[in-house]
Amino acid sequence: MRKFLSAVLFFITCTLGAQNVSDLIISEALSSPDSTGILDGYGRRNGWVELFNKSTGTVSYGGCFLTDDRMNLKKSLIPKSDQRTKLGPRQSVVFYCSGNGADGTFYAGFKLEPGKTVYLVSNDGRTVIDSLAIPASLPAGRSIQKLAFDLRQQVFEPQADPAIPSPGILNGDQDSTTKAQIMAENDPHGLTLTVVSVAVVFSALAILWFLFWLLFDRRAKKKTAGHDGTPKRHSRPDRESPDGEVVAAIALALDMEASGDDYAAIAAAVHLYLTEAIHDVEPGIVTIRRTESSAWNNKTLTFRQLPQHENL
Amino acid sequence: MDQIFQSLSQFWEYTGFANCSWQNLVMIGIGLIFITLAIVKEWEPMLLVPIGFGMIVGNIPMFPGLNIGVYEDGSVLNILYQGVKQGWYPPLIFLGIGAMTDFSALISQPRLILIGAAAQMGIFGAYLLALLFGFAPNEAGAIGIIGGADGPTAIFLSSKLAPDLMGAIAVSAYSYMALVPVIQKPIMLLLTNKKERLIKMPTPRTVSKKEKIVFPIVGFLITAFIVPSGLPLLGMLFFGNLLKESGVTRRLANTASGPLIDVVTTLIGLTVGASTQADKFISVKSLMIFGLGLLSFVIATMSGVLFVKLMNLFIKNPAKKINPLIGNAGVSAVPDSARVSETVGREIDPSNHLLMHAMGPNVAGVIGSAVAAGILLSFLG
């Protein structure tokens, strides 16, 4: 059984690892730079590919491949040993397509050309994680991008129109407005949010109330109700005495010494004592207390009785 | 000789005396007041002692760049503060709260759950007021949560919505929690008449073990499905409670409700206190937060009491009427607000014990404030 669970855990771990790499997308590509294009580390202008991590966790992409040839998926290896091959949540990284992968970690061993498709391949060398087709008509100095209208949708669609390149920057203006800003614009006095929130809080707790009333409270009351519908009295023998009040009074008397935990415990004890007649379990130890004065330690009682003369 | 004087002069520059400002002294004074209130008056000592001492720690004037301050990367205090900043501590505290909370009072009288919902009006009342005073919506949401009377929830939400205001919000929330008896009693007396205060509520029914086990599971499923953004708090709260009620994980429940919550409470108190460095804390905004925090407590208490009165209008059977004095317990300052209900109730009728009844809305308030925090997070986060 333990081996089976270990195997399941191993499988889940592997699956999660694979899911991490699958969170990467090719978010943007530019095949023909113009004179305003970005320079690589060697001062050259090349086409480039931008990878984007759409997840909320860090993804390690070392060992994956970039290629522009469907028949050769292992064309350009992203070095596995480089510690920089980790991409934070909602972050992007740019690879220069210089045609020589030996230029560095962030260089691909092929030149990007219009009309081709660029692929991101998993570290198994077989699974295509994502691809982006570069239109043959893509003008120089323009890129092709993928956009999601809302990052939570996690669905990125390639845009038909060429875009102004934004290497290393989130495409579009998805995060330009925060929720608070939207709220300030749409609900400046906060009334809508208040009404909605109060309704949600009440709904959540009302559902809880209704469910427990339906499942337990109603049944329990039916069970404890007598023939005339009034609640049955509990069978605790000394019900007449005001024990509940005494116990609660003790709880209050402890006011100066007890902490919050004690109060919760006392409250629970009062409840149990009143309703279930549950009492603390006694330790069962009999102690003998030394008594100061009692008939039992009266010395006169330990004296031997004097013989009495009787008149025979 | 010159070198000695030069060294002494240099040393002087590093001392607290040379770097002291009046703001530091004010904050140290507030820290000392907190400690005094905790020790002499026993107002929330578990929180006020660590926070008060943390305030003193955080406001010792020092030469910047020694890498020891709470806001300096890599310092011990900074590392411990990450639990507050990243919101790790509050869910862990909720785990402990869940493991030590008995929901029987709530399960036996499910209608009292609604009082816990009504008292959350304090959160949204303060949110509206904060917007009125010019706070941004995210800041207003973080300030509003003070009205939930729940320190961990206030820290959790403010760390997400308005990290810059977290120190003031946390200190405000814990201060007013400690002052619950002072704040709530006059409002309760103002809003109720003698006849209402004398209402005796029926003894709650017995709650079975099955109900206690089902409650955290069903409670979690319902609340988390409605407000998934409250998952860290709700998940931990109900998980802790399941550990307690299942009866088969006693060791885990004991750890969660004992050593774990003690450690986290110590750290959260100390680091929240230390985060109130004078240069970041003393501002008009902080004063406004304190004012709004007080108002949120007042609104929450009023809402709870008035809601009970409203419920009574619909309850025909006089024997089933609810004493409005338990309405204040809808704020989740457990168990202080329930204790206030008991004390005020007994002042007018020494034989009327409301403690057990007030525990119902009190624990419902914990759930309600976590749900409210989740809603604010999903709208403003």
Side-chain angles (χ1 to χ4, degrees):
Chain A
M1 187 63 183
R2 193 170 285 179
K3 278 183 183 173
F4 172 73
L5 286 174
S6 305
V8 170
L9 272 176
F10 178 74
F11 176 75
I12 290 169
T13 313
C14 294
T15 314
L16 286 175
Q19 278 175 345
N20 272 340
V21 184
S22 69
D23 285 327
L24 293 177
I25 59 162
I26 300 174
S27 54
E28 192 173 357
L30 179 143
S31 55
S32 315
D34 62 7
S35 57
T36 59
I38 55 164
L39 299 170
D40 67 10
Y42 297 92
R44 303 170 302 199
R45 285 197 170 86
N46 288 305
W48 47 261
V49 174
E50 182 192 71
L51 302 185
F52 176 72
N53 174 11
K54 63 181 181 179
S55 76
T56 50
T58 299
V59 175
S60 180
Y61 56 89
C64 293
F65 300 89
L66 282 170
T67 181
D68 60 348
D69 184 357
R70 191 73 176 84
M71 304 310 291
N72 180 11
L73 293 178
K74 294 183 179 178
K75 197 166 185 178
S76 183
L77 171 71
I78 301 170
K80 201 173 182 177
S81 54
D82 194 326
Q83 290 300 309
R84 293 174 296 169
T85 53
K86 285 189 176 121
L87 202 52
R90 309 277 158 84
Q91 298 292 306
S92 54
V93 62
V94 172
F95 282 84
Y96 298 102
C97 300
S98 66
N100 182 13
D103 283 345
T105 301
F106 301 104
Y107 292 83
F110 56 88
K111 288 261 186 192
L112 213 53
E113 290 168 15
K116 285 204 162 184
T117 300
V118 62
Y119 301 92
L120 174 66
V121 182
S122 179
N123 50 15
D124 61 6
R126 293 194 302 268
T127 314
V128 174
I129 298 167
D130 194 32
S131 63
L132 181 62
I134 298 163
S137 58
L138 189 69
R142 288 288 181 270
S143 67
I144 188 79
Q145 293 182 342
K146 274 185 191 162
L147 275 184
F149 295 105
D150 185 340
L151 278 177
R152 283 174 300 181
Q153 292 173 4
Q154 297 284 298
V155 179
F156 288 76
E157 295 293 340
Q159 301 301 292
D161 298 327
I164 297 169
S166 58
I169 301 167
L170 195 65
N171 297 341
D173 58 351
Q174 291 153 354
D175 265 2
S176 60
T177 315
T178 62
K179 281 185 195 171
Q181 285 168 331
I182 295 168
M183 199 53 76
E185 203 172 298
N186 298 338
D187 184 23
H189 303 295
L191 289 173
T192 311
L193 184 138
T194 301
V195 171
V196 171
S197 304
V198 170
V200 173
V201 172
F202 264 96
S203 308
L205 295 186
I207 293 170
L208 204 56
W209 161 58
F210 181 70
L211 263 178
F212 268 79
W213 173 78
L214 199 68
L215 293 174
F216 296 109
D217 197 43
R218 204 170 56 126
R219 283 185 189 179
K221 277 178 182 162
K222 268 187 187 171
K223 206 181 279 181
T224 52
H227 294 296
D228 56 350
T230 53
K232 284 178 188 170
R233 287 184 74 85
H234 293 281
S235 57
R236 194 154 55 84
D238 56 347
R239 183 71 190 170
E240 295 75 27
S241 60
D243 294 325
E245 292 162 15
V246 172
V247 178
I250 292 166
L252 280 173
L254 290 168
D255 196 20
M256 298 303 290
E257 292 173 21
S259 67
D261 303 347
D262 298 329
Y263 279 108
I266 290 165
V270 171
H271 173 62
L272 290 173
Y273 187 67
L274 285 170
T275 56
E276 295 180 18
I278 292 174
H279 195 271
D280 287 346
V281 178
E282 298 297 343
I285 300 166
V286 177
T287 53
I288 301 171
R289 184 185 290 175
R290 186 188 176 85
T291 51
E292 293 304 321
S293 60
S294 143
W296 293 101
N297 63 356
N298 190 340
K299 283 198 168 58
T300 56
L301 293 176
T302 60
F303 291 162
R304 197 169 48 166
Q305 235 177 351
L306 291 172
Q308 290 181 357
H309 297 281
E310 290 179 3
N311 295 323
L312 297 170
Chain B
M1 197 65 179
D2 275 355
Q3 203 169 352
I4 292 173
F5 278 117
Q6 207 173 351
S7 300
L8 282 173
S9 162
Q10 197 178 355
F11 175 72
W12 171 254
E13 281 175 21
Y14 281 98
T15 63
F17 299 106
N19 293 291
C20 191
S21 66
W22 67 267
Q23 288 97 333
N24 290 123
L25 295 177
V26 168
M27 291 308 299
I28 290 172
I30 295 173
L32 289 172
I33 291 171
F34 272 37
I35 294 171
T36 310
L37 288 176
I39 295 170
V40 178
K41 295 275 185 185
E42 290 193 34
W43 286 350
E44 295 276 353
M46 304 282 189
L47 299 167
L48 290 191
V49 168
I51 291 178
F53 198 79
M55 280 178 157
I56 299 172
V57 169
N59 283 285
I60 296 296
M62 59 189 171
F63 194 81
L66 294 175
N67 214 29
I68 50 173
V70 74
Y71 291 111
E72 291 180 286
D73 279 350
S75 71
V76 175
L77 280 175
N78 182 264
I79 290 166
L80 296 177
Y81 184 57
Q82 292 307 309
V84 176
K85 203 176 169 186
Q86 307 287 340
W88 306 328
Y89 292 151
L92 289 175
I93 289 187
F94 260 61
L95 178 70
I97 292 172
M100 63 170 69
T101 301
D102 185 354
F103 283 106
S104 307
L106 189 65
I107 301 168
S108 63
Q109 302 180 83
R111 61 185 178 152
L112 301 184
I113 291 177
L114 294 177
I115 304 170
Q120 305 315 315
M121 277 303 293
I123 294 174
F124 302 107
Y127 170 75
L128 292 174
L129 285 171
L131 283 179
L132 203 66
F133 281 105
F135 283 96
N138 55 323
E139 293 176 332
I143 293 167
I145 201 69
I146 299 172
D150 196 329
T153 309
I155 290 172
F156 178 77
L157 193 68
S158 55
S159 70
K160 307 281 179 201
L161 295 184
D164 292 344
L165 305 181
M166 190 174 54
I169 289 169
V171 171
S172 173
Y174 281 122
S175 307
Y176 292 131
M177 278 167 68
L179 293 171
V180 153
V182 183
I183 298 169
Q184 289 195 322
K185 189 180 168 185
I187 300 166
M188 292 158 69
L189 294 176
L190 188 74
L191 296 178
T192 53
N193 57 39
K194 193 178 176 185
K195 193 183 164 193
E196 287 168 332
R197 283 177 229 150
L198 285 169
I199 293 175
K200 279 199 174 182
M201 293 173 67
T203 308
R205 68 172 176 82
T206 310
V207 174
S208 69
K209 191 183 176 190
K210 190 167 93 180
E211 286 174 86
K212 287 183 182 180
I213 293 172
V214 170
F215 183 78
I217 297 168
V218 173
F220 172 66
L221 285 173
I222 291 171
T223 52
F225 264 86
I226 293 174
V227 195
S229 44
L231 198 64
L233 297 176
L234 293 166
M236 288 299 207
L237 178 75
F238 287 117
F239 172 55
N241 192 246
L242 184 62
L243 289 180
K244 173 181 179 284
E245 300 299 353
S246 67
V248 291
T249 52
R250 200 154 292 162
R251 272 172 51 202
L252 300 184
N254 287 343
T255 304
S257 61
L260 179 67
I261 197 167
D262 289 348
V263 168
V264 181
T265 304
T266 309
L267 294 179
I268 203 170
L270 186 74
T271 50
V272 162
S275 71
T276 61
Q277 273 187 10
D279 55 334
K280 299 186 189 294
F281 191 79
I282 294 184
S283 65
V284 179
K285 264 191 175 179
S286 297
L287 286 176
M288 288 170 80
I289 288 168
F290 271 84
L292 289 166
L294 178 61
L295 283 174
S296 70
F297 266 65
V298 171
I299 297 168
T301 308
M302 288 174 72
S303 308
V305 175
L306 291 175
F307 186 76
V308 175
K309 292 177 78 161
L310 181 71
M311 284 175 85
N312 278 341
L313 292 179
F314 296 95
I315 300 170
K316 299 293 172 203
N317 186 349
K320 288 187 175 178
K321 295 256 184 200
I322 305 169
N323 192 319
L325 292 180
I326 69 166
N328 71 300
V331 304
S332 61
V334 181
D336 288 358
S337 49
R339 201 165 63 189
V340 174
S341 304
E342 168 78 14
T343 314
V344 178
R346 285 189 72 241
E347 274 177 13
I348 189 127
D349 178 4
S351 68
N352 195 5
H353 297 284
L354 297 171
L355 186 65
M356 197 61 208
H357 304 289
M359 284 303 287
N362 211 189
V363 291
V366 178
I367 302 170
S369 62
V371 170
I375 298 166
L376 289 172
L377 190 60
S378 57
F379 276 114
L380 305 168

